[in-house]
Amino acid sequence: MPPTDKSGLEMRQSRTPLERVHTTVFGQSFSRCGNFLAVCDNLGYVTVYRLSDALSSNSRKTNLHPHYYFKASDYSIYSIITHDDTLICGGGNMISGWLWSDIISKSAKISWSLKIPSSGSDLTEANSLEVCKEDDVLYAGCGDGKTYTWKLDSGVLSGSFCGHTDVIQDIHLTGSHTLLSASEDGTVRIWDSRQSGKEHQGMITPSKEPAINRPEIGKWLALVVAQDDLIACGGAPHLSLWSQRTLRPLTSMDTGLDSQNTGLFSDDMLITGGCGKLIYQWNINGECKTQVPVSASTVYNISVNHGNPSKKMLTVAGAGHKVDACLNFGYTSFTYEL
């Protein structure tokens, strides 16, 4: 396992009202068992919800409050994922692992930590995390424009993917050993995930396509996700679908002036959200099937619980202290509060 951090972190019983007002949720992750949801925020907290509390037949408003929360970092936590029995958090200069068993028992402590390479005194934040389960390798798309990799069994920094000229906002691993990275430099770069240190194998630049470009907003990208041959990317340019094989655009989607910051494929649908109090559901031809109003004024993360079929739900979080849960994906069933 990676080296253990023995220093400990401050644990508090409650947040202040001012903290709740200024909270932005950047990431979400369900436990492997599918019974718990963890969210991370700009104040360095991880907040955990027990799903059965809200799903019980006699559920009350009090059951929408957290099961537990803890201060996991002195800096903002921008990304969070579950790998096996560990919750992995990515923030400024550090990535940390926390055992779900400790979190569920309300005794969270750092199991291991990894230092993100940085130059000088500047913080290098981990904006997006992925794990290759086959190789037990962690990937982190970072604020210095690089994606770093670590071997989780040893904690050794094993490589990096370099080429972007600005912040990486999102990365995505496919099952075919392909790594996609979306950057504020306006490009999605495509890499062989097994060959760190090599040049990218392909590149998508949405702002170069007249039907997709929105120069009045910019060229930056915040979203990349793939399914089969499809790549979806969004940000300042219009949300668009591309062929992974030809690297050519297939269609663009109209969200008005709302840029799309986050998204995922689920059951042959693309679900996205961004600068607006809506999430969009699209079919794979780029047709909008429905729009769902949500609490967050800007959506930063959408997640689906696949760990427990009886508790399957879509959750939406972003600017604000509320996390919306959609049981049938078509409307908000209830809302968690931090």
Side-chain angles (χ1 to χ4, degrees), residues 180-201:
L180 307 173
S181 54
S183 168
E184 292 186 10
D185 66 12
T187 66
V188 169
R189 305 200 183 206
I190 302 161
W191 320 77
D192 185 329
S193 63
R194 299 163 296 183
Q195 297 183 355
S196 63
K198 303 290 186 180
E199 290 287 327
H200 58 268
Q201 297 182 327

Side-chain angles (χ1 to χ4, degrees), residues 126-302:
N127 290 317
S128 184
L129 299 173
E130 287 273 68
V131 172
C132 176
K133 296 181 180 180
E134 178 182 344
D135 301 320
D136 206 30
V137 172
L138 174 68
Y139 295 73
C142 295
D144 61 359
K146 300 176 183 178
T147 298
Y148 296 99
T149 64
W150 288 265
K151 295 181 178 179
L152 285 175
D153 59 352
S154 64
V156 172
L157 180 68
S158 55
S160 62
F161 296 84
C162 308
H164 285 293
T165 59
D166 210 332
V167 175
I168 293 176
Q169 289 289 2
D170 198 16
I171 62 173
H172 179 78
L173 275 176
T174 75
S176 57
H177 300 291
T178 299
L179 171 68
L180 307 173
S181 54
S183 168
E184 292 186 10
D185 66 12
T187 66
V188 169
R189 305 200 183 206
I190 302 161
W191 320 77
D192 185 329
S193 63
R194 299 163 296 183
Q195 297 183 355
S196 63
K198 303 290 186 180
E199 290 287 327
H200 58 268
Q201 297 182 327
M203 184 166 65
I204 291 171
T205 310
S207 61
K208 290 184 177 180
E209 300 293 328
I212 300 174
N213 186 31
R214 290 193 290 190
E216 69 277 13
I217 300 179
K219 66 177 184 179
W220 54 267
L221 296 176
L223 158 66
V224 64
V225 65
Q227 176 180 273
D228 300 327
D229 183 53
L230 294 177
I231 297 175
C233 51
H238 285 294
L239 179 68
S240 53
L241 288 173
W242 297 66
S243 166
Q244 189 170 170
R245 180 177 56 85
T246 66
L247 301 185
R248 296 298 305 159
L250 300 173
T251 187
S252 65
M253 291 92 109
D254 184 12
T255 58
L257 294 176
D258 293 346
S259 59
Q260 298 299 283
N261 302 323
T262 183
L264 53 81
F265 283 101
S266 178
D267 298 330
D268 291 324
M269 286 192 306
L270 173 65
I271 306 172
T272 67
C275 297
K277 300 185 71 169
L278 292 171
I279 60 170
Y280 298 83
Q281 297 183 15
W282 315 84
N283 65 24
I284 58 175
N285 296 318
E287 176 188 357
C288 185
K289 303 299 291 183
T290 187
Q291 300 177 16
V292 181
V294 295
S295 299
S297 57
T298 298
V299 177
Y300 287 115
N301 190 265
I302 300 170

